[in-house]
């Protein structure tokens, strides 16, 4: 056949991409699995000629770490809290954006800005906003003088300032800041996708619904949301996947300590745990943790897909 | 419920700079009698849908008033007008089953109109039976044929028992056979329910066949209103004459001289009370009589036998159409050997129009 004769050409063209893929994607995946199942594997010791026994000790160790369980808790908490909030907000905002004519372009751009802004930079701005003090080493008087804008607003309305992120702050306050930040950061992408979906819905359905006497909220829940369900499923699934990989947002606000100065690591996440393990040359444990994270994301995504299959409509 | 339109006007402002505003509907006045089926007829873009949308409240008139019975509904939102609307492409909610689609308008009812679940279901099944889709209630719209979707759309429009039913080109998405069948169906449903119905189409045959009355529109302006047969037999202007009838009317350049109508050099017919002038002459295809001594000469191109009838395709210098098409009974023997055919004309199938304004010129035979 002519085609099979030409096949080698196709492979030739594909070769550069395949080679890169093999080196930087396929091999690391294999290597991760290999390292995860070698007891106490360490790259440094391996270079020194040490050999490692095969086993599941890395997984056991990782799961026994209190730190790891904490990371898992924080990650799951952030996921479960932020995905529904950001999805709902994105839905309402995109529906509102879609229904106004003047300034739609401008507002669309404004809502999209966070997407093109570096998330570490955004994190630092948030950190400044939620600061209770300008300097960690200040006296009591300085604390009040340099409060962040959020506390300024709270005090303006007669509330008492909250220690959001500084030494002595509570886990709940920390998580609240993180949720606000992650939701805000996640909105642009979701709005973009949902707005695109909304604009592709045939306007006649809305005319029909109006003639049928639907109220606005009924139209939203009975017409818009079902017609938008494929896009909603997409942003929810990608939201969960992104949520389980949460790391930079914490660094953005709390820095590499992953927590307030007096309790570093308090807000550490799964990915943070993996980085820490790598930095102590425990590639075996890092790989095991990575595989556990992969397993969790896989299961959550499968559940998501199963649920969305039931609820998306065409 | 009669529907009265009073000087109804709709202007769409032009958004591009320097462009002209579009007058989609211009000063439309008409009273639709209670329980009648009215066909709104005209070429694409003449403002039929806009008229319909104003009647149902989806678009606000730029001027004029709309009454349902004695109620002024001009400023009422659609849901308070009691209208049912069937969209051109049905607009069935794709994520709902047929049953849910039909139930939906009922579930929106509020206050004292609110129905119990059983009542809603009962009404849904009733209306589904009326349009003969009661065996399809659990399907999704995508699992239905065009004709079935059509019926579901009608059922959804009817289930609230509207005072007025509006149909926007309800047959345009159906194939030819289904179209014939469905238009009879619409007629039947309309007569069984007795709901005042306005039905938009660009297909004159459709409008003529099922309407009690037709309204012919052109560029937003109503040209003529009347019973289909009357409009056909007595068109107000050349546009209406050309728009109604298949095959279409034959149009010639002609001239009236001394009470005689000439087409080319042929003195076709005596027309009294018409001053000497150039005219446009419309002759319906069925208005020609084969006549060896007839005044109108044409060159024969061919003969098409269509069952009972024969259609003679001919040409004439003065014809404004490429061919002159006449329909005569198949019992007539057509002699094509000479290459020419001669006709005399049935006077009531011939119309004179002013050659510039295209308005009808009355004459006595
Ligand atoms: N929303 C609109 N904005 C601007 N022009 C419109 C709009 N809707 C219709 N028109 C114009 O009004 C005229 C009548 O349109 P329409 O009522 O849809 O015609 P029909 O249904 O007879 O084909 C057309 O020239 C069309 O371009
Ligand atoms: Mg139309």
């Amino acid at each position: 056949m002519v085609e099979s004769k030409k096949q080698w050409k196709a492979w030739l063209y594909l070769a550069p991409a395949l080679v890169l893929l093999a080196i930087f994607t396929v091999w690391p995946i294999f290597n991760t699995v290999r390292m995860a199942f070698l007891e106490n594997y360490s790259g440094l010791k391996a270079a020194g000629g040490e050999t490692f026994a095969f086993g599941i000790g890395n997984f056991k160790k990782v799961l026994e770490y209190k730190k790891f369980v904490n990371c898992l808790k924080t990650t799951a908490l952030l996921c479960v809290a932020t995905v529904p909030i950001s999805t709902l907000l994105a839905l309402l905002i995109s529906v509102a954006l879609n229904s106004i004519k003047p300034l739609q372009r401008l507002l669309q751009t404004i809502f999209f800005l966070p997407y093109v802004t570096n998330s570490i930079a955004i994190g630092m701005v948030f950190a400044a906003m939620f600061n209770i003090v300008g300097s960690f080493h200040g006296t009591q008087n300085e604390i009040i003088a340099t409060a962040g804008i959020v506390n300024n607003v709270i005090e303006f309305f007669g509330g008492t300032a909250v220690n959001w992120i500084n030494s002595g702050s509570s886990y709940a306050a920390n998580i609240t800041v993180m949720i606000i930040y992650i939701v805000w950061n996640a909105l642009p992408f979701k709005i973009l996708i949902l707005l695109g979906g909304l604009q592709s819905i045939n306007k006649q359905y809305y005319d029909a619904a109006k003639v049928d006497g639907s109220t606005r909220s009924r139209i939203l829940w009975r017409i818009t949301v079902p017609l938008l369900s494929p896009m909603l499923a997409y942003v929810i699934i990608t939201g969960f996947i992104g949520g389980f990989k949460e790391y930079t947002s914490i660094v953005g606000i709390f820095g590499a300590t992953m927590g307030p100065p007096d309790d570093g690591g308090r807000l550490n996440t799964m990915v943070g745990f993996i980085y820490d393990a790598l930095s102590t040359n425990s590639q075996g444990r890092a790989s095991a943790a990575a595989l556990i994270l992969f397993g969790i994301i896989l299961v959550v995504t499968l559940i998501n897909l199963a649920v969305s299959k039931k609820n998306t409509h065409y | 419920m009669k529907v009265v339109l009073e000087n109804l006007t709709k202007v769409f402002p032009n958004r591009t700079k320097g462009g002209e505003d579009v007058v989609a509907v211009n000063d439309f006045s008409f009273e639709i009698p209670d329980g009648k089926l009215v066909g709104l007829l005209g070429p694409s873009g003449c403002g039929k849908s806009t008229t319909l949308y104003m009647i149902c409240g989806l678009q606000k008139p730029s001027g004029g008033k709309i009454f349902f019975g004695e109620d002024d509904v001009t400023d009422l939102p659609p849901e308070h007008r009691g209208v049912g609307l069937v969209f051109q492409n049905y607009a069935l909610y794709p994520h709902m089953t047929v049953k849910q689609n039909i139930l939906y308008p009922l579930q929106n009812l509020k206050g004292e109109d609110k129905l119990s679940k059983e009542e809603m279901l009962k009404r849904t099944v009733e209306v589904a039976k009326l349009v003969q889709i009661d065996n399809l209630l659990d399907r999704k719209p995508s699992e239905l044929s065009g004709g079935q979707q059509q019926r579901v759309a009608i059922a959804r429009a009817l289930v609230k028992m509207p005072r007025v039913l509006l149909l926007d080109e309800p047959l345009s998405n159906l194939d030819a056979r289904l179209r014939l069948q469905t238009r009879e169906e619409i007629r039947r449903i309309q007569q069984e329910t007795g709901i005042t119905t306005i039905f938009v189409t660009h297909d004159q045959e459709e409008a003529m066949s099922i309407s009690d009355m037709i309204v012919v529109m052109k560029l937003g302006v109503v040209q003529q209103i009347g019973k289909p047969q009357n409009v056909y037999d007595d068109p107000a202007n050349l546009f209406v004459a050309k728009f109604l009838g298949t095959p279409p009317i034959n149009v010639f350049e002609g001239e009236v001289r001394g009470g005689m109508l000439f087409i080319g050099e042929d003195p076709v017919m005596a027309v009294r009370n018409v001053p000497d002038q150039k005219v446009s002459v419309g002759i319906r295809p069925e208005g020609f009589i084969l006549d060896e001594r007839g005044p109108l000469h044409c060159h024969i191109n061919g003969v098409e036998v269509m069952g009972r009838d024969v259609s003679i395709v001919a040409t004439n210098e003065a014809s404004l159409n490429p061919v002159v098409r006449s329909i005569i009974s198949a019992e007539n023997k057509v002699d094509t050997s000479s290459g020419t055919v001669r006709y005399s004309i049935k006077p009531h199938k011939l119309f004179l129009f002013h050659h510039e304004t295209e308005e009808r010129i009355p004459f006595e035979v």
Side-chain angles (χ1 to χ4, degrees):
Chain A
M1 263 168 53
V2 186
E3 274 153 42
S4 61
K5 262 188 199 161
K6 285 199 174 155
Q7 252 182 14
W8 68 269
K9 258 192 175 171
W11 285 110
L12 185 69
Y13 295 143
L14 278 173
L18 286 179
V19 168
L20 290 174
L21 213 64
I23 296 175
F24 291 107
T25 304
V26 180
W27 166 242
I29 291 175
F30 273 114
N31 204 24
T32 305
V33 178
R34 185 182 71 93
M35 292 187 293
F37 286 99
L38 293 176
E39 304 279 4
N40 290 323
Y41 181 91
S42 155
L44 211 59
K45 290 181 195 160
E50 204 169 314
T51 55
F52 305 92
F54 178 84
I56 55 167
N58 289 326
F59 291 90
K60 269 192 186 157
K61 274 217 183 86
V62 165
L63 290 172
E64 278 163 9
Y65 266 124
K66 238 190 120 207
K67 260 206 233 158
F68 179 80
V69 179
N70 273 338
C71 290
L72 189 58
K73 265 192 208 154
T74 304
T75 309
L77 184 61
L78 288 177
C79 264
V80 171
T82 58
V83 173
I85 296 175
S86 63
T87 306
L88 187 66
L89 277 179
L91 175 68
L92 297 177
I93 291 172
S94 50
V95 167
L97 266 180
N98 193 40
S99 69
I100 51 169
K101 290 242 166 61
L103 298 183
Q104 189 184 34
R105 289 271 169 118
L106 178 72
L107 289 170
Q108 220 168 309
T109 311
I110 291 173
F111 276 109
F112 194 60
L113 273 180
Y115 193 71
V116 292
T117 311
N118 182 298
S119 56
I120 300 283
I122 298 175
M124 290 169 82
V125 173
F126 264 73
M129 281 165 53
F130 282 96
N131 227 344
I132 192 166
V133 288
S135 141
F136 301 157
H137 315 291
T139 64
Q140 193 63 34
N141 285 337
E142 276 172 331
I143 288 172
I144 295 160
T146 57
I149 192 166
V150 173
N151 278 333
N152 282 334
V153 170
I154 291 175
E155 287 184 332
F156 179 82
F157 286 105
T160 43
V162 178
N163 187 350
W164 293 108
I165 56 174
N166 300 118
S167 289
S169 58
S170 69
Y171 183 73
N174 297 164
I175 285 289
T176 308
V177 173
M178 283 324 301
I179 289 173
I180 294 171
Y181 170 77
I182 293 171
V183 165
W184 190 78
N185 213 3
L187 280 180
F189 176 72
K190 293 196 164 93
I191 291 173
L192 187 77
I193 298 290
L194 295 183
L195 199 57
L198 283 173
Q199 282 165 353
S200 68
I201 293 179
N202 190 339
K203 301 277 173 295
Q204 284 215 325
Y205 296 132
Y206 295 107
D207 282 344
K210 254 190 242 163
V211 177
D212 290 344
S214 264
T215 56
R216 271 167 164 259
S217 70
R218 259 183 91 79
I219 289 178
L220 177 63
W221 296 115
R222 291 282 315 262
I223 312 279
T224 304
V225 167
L227 290 177
L228 209 54
S229 53
M231 285 75 182
L232 282 169
Y234 176 73
V235 296
I236 290 171
I237 290 171
T238 53
F240 269 108
I241 293 175
F244 275 105
K245 297 195 298 186
E246 206 57 74
Y247 175 66
T248 36
S249 51
I250 317 262
V251 175
I253 289 186
F254 290 95
T257 51
M258 301 298 278
D262 62 335
D263 191 5
R266 179 201 271 175
L267 293 170
N268 207 358
T269 61
M270 306 273 284
V271 172
F273 179 91
I274 295 168
Y275 282 153
D276 290 347
L278 284 177
S279 66
T280 56
N281 254 308
S282 314
Q283 283 89 348
R285 259 170 284 153
S287 300
L291 286 187
I292 292 171
L293 178 58
F294 169 75
I296 292 172
I297 291 179
L298 187 69
V299 169
V300 169
T301 304
L302 287 178
I303 293 173
N304 264 325
L305 280 175
V307 172
S308 71
K309 214 174 214 163
K310 251 193 184 164
N311 293 300
T312 58
H313 295 280
Y314 53 120
Chain B
M1 180 69 51
K2 75 175 179 190
V3 175
V4 183
L5 310 180
E6 246 180 50
N7 310 102
L8 202 59
T9 299
K10 178 73 187 183
V11 181
F12 290 111
N14 199 310
R15 283 196 212 92
T16 54
K17 243 191 240 163
E20 280 181 24
D21 294 351
V22 180
V23 184
V25 179
N26 196 345
D27 202 23
F28 189 166
S29 295
F30 180 38
E31 178 171 331
I32 301 162
D34 183 25
K36 294 293 186 202
L37 179 64
V38 172
L40 205 53
L41 179 62
S44 189
C46 73
K48 307 179 298 285
S49 297
T50 308
T51 306
L52 215 59
Y53 289 161
M54 286 194 287
I55 296 174
C56 82
L58 284 173
Q59 278 180 354
K60 253 185 103 60
S62 317
K65 288 202 173 307
I66 302 163
F67 297 89
F68 286 1
E70 303 304 320
D71 309 340
D72 182 350
V73 298
T74 315
D75 295 318
L76 231 51
E79 66 268 24
H80 294 140
R81 292 194 184 193
V83 291
L85 175 63
V86 176
F87 288 86
Q88 187 162 356
N89 38 20
Y90 316 139
L92 296 175
Y93 308 121
H95 54 288
M96 298 185 196
T97 61
V98 169
K99 185 155 89 192
Q100 289 166 331
N101 262 286
I102 303 175
L103 272 172
Y104 188 71
L106 295 179
Q107 292 165 337
N108 289 328
L109 294 175
K110 277 181 299 221
E112 51 190 79
D113 299 333
K114 212 173 156 93
L115 300 173
S116 70
K117 271 224 167 75
E118 296 77 53
E119 181 67 16
M120 286 195 227
L121 262 171
K122 200 178 127 236
R123 292 258 292 262
T124 300
V125 172
E126 264 171 29
V127 75
K129 281 212 174 97
L130 178 70
V131 301
Q132 300 171 348
I133 48 157
D134 43 323
N135 54 334
L136 304 172
L137 285 175
D138 293 320
R139 298 233 197 132
K140 290 265 178 77
S142 58
E143 297 161 348
L144 300 178
S145 72
Q148 290 167 335
Q149 290 183 24
Q150 219 307 318
R151 286 155 193 257
V152 178
I154 294 180
R156 187 178 66 180
L158 281 177
V159 74
K160 267 197 312 186
M161 303 186 182
R163 304 193 280 180
V164 179
L165 179 64
L166 306 166
L167 304 147
D168 191 0
E169 310 232 3
L171 306 176
S172 60
N173 286 350
L174 305 180
D175 62 52
R177 251 182 63 183
L178 209 51
R179 207 177 290 187
L180 279 178
Q181 203 182 332
T182 313
R183 78 184 190 204
E184 296 309 322
E185 196 77 343
I186 291 176
R187 184 60 172 156
R188 174 186 68 81
I189 293 164
Q190 194 270 331
Q191 281 177 339
E192 273 178 37
T193 56
I195 295 176
T196 310
T197 302
I198 304 168
F199 152 81
V200 161
T201 175
H202 62 261
D203 181 342
Q204 54 91 22
E205 210 182 324
E206 231 166 81
M208 303 267 291
S209 59
I210 63 168
S211 311
D212 294 313
M213 281 184 115
I214 59 172
V215 178
V216 185
M217 293 180 75
K218 174 193 175 187
L219 296 172
V221 182
V222 173
Q223 304 292 307
Q224 194 170 1
I225 298 175
K227 292 202 167 124
Q229 197 60 45
N230 294 354
V231 177
Y232 181 80
D233 289 338
D234 195 8
N237 57 38
L238 184 57
F239 174 82
V240 175
K242 281 206 267 194
F243 203 75
L244 297 188
T246 39
I249 196 165
N250 299 288
V251 185
F252 302 86
E253 276 181 335
E255 197 174 350
V256 176
R257 268 181 268 140
M260 176 59 73
L261 168 66
F262 288 89
I263 292 179
E265 287 313 308
D266 297 337
V268 177
M269 216 164 71
V271 288
R272 290 198 282 148
N273 295 347
V274 182
D276 288 5
Q277 60 183 305
K278 279 186 148 184
V279 289
S280 298
V281 186
I283 306 176
R284 293 276 181 213
E286 67 274 21
F288 295 90
I289 305 165
L290 272 184
D291 182 349
E292 282 166 16
R293 256 163 275 143
L296 183 63
H297 296 70
C298 293
H299 310 283
I300 287 202
N301 280 11
V303 177
E304 294 167 7
V305 183
M306 312 181 296
R308 274 181 302 114
D309 295 327
V310 176
S311 167
I312 301 176
V313 182
T315 53
N316 182 297
E317 242 88 287
S319 171
L320 292 173
N321 311 17
V323 296
V324 177
R325 193 177 277 275
S326 59
I327 293 178
I328 53 173
S329 163
E331 289 153 17
N332 290 294
K333 274 265 176 299
V334 185
D335 178 14
T336 57
S337 58
S338 65
T340 47
V341 61
R342 294 179 66 167
Y343 297 112
S344 52
I345 309 296
K346 298 176 191 165
H348 63 283
K349 292 288 181 186
L350 181 148
F351 312 111
L352 295 186
F353 303 97
H354 191 277
H355 89 113
E356 269 163 4
T357 64
E358 304 194 337
E359 287 304 312
R360 180 84 176 277
I361 303 170
F363 63 85
E364 287 171 33
V365 182

